[in-house]
Amino acid sequence: MKLDRLIKNLQGYKKKYGNLDIVYASDDECNRIESVKFDPTPMKKGKDGYYDTETKKPTHICVN
């Protein structure tokens, strides 16, 4: 998913339901649900598969 799709979906939910708290699940079956506590972080995925937050050209956004 790209950032513009996520933003559009979130804006639609806010308009319909109001300013709700944000949570995340550890998997798609919601076996563990936690609150989102931090602002989204731009990151760059390296060739080794690890993500680096010290980047001027991010490739991904992490929500928690």
Side-chain angles (χ1 to χ4, degrees):
M1 176 185 309
K2 297 287 186 179
L3 187 57
D4 59 350
R5 180 175 167 187
L6 176 62
I7 290 169
K8 183 178 178 180
N9 288 339
L10 292 174
Q11 287 173 331
Y13 291 142
K14 182 180 177 189
K15 185 176 181 180
K16 186 172 183 177
Y17 302 116
N19 194 26
L20 303 174
D21 288 331
I22 302 290
V23 297
Y24 72 95
S26 62
D27 58 32
D28 61 350
E29 295 177 352
C30 299
N31 287 314
R32 188 176 119 222
I33 297 176
E34 299 288 338
S35 294
V36 173
K37 300 174 180 100
F38 305 103
D39 291 333
T41 304
M43 304 177 108
K44 183 173 185 175
K45 186 175 183 179
K47 293 179 182 177
D48 58 2
Y50 293 102
Y51 290 85
D52 185 5
T53 59
E54 299 297 325
T55 180
K56 293 182 181 181
K57 294 183 179 182
T59 59
H60 295 74
I61 300 288
C62 179
V63 296
N64 211 17

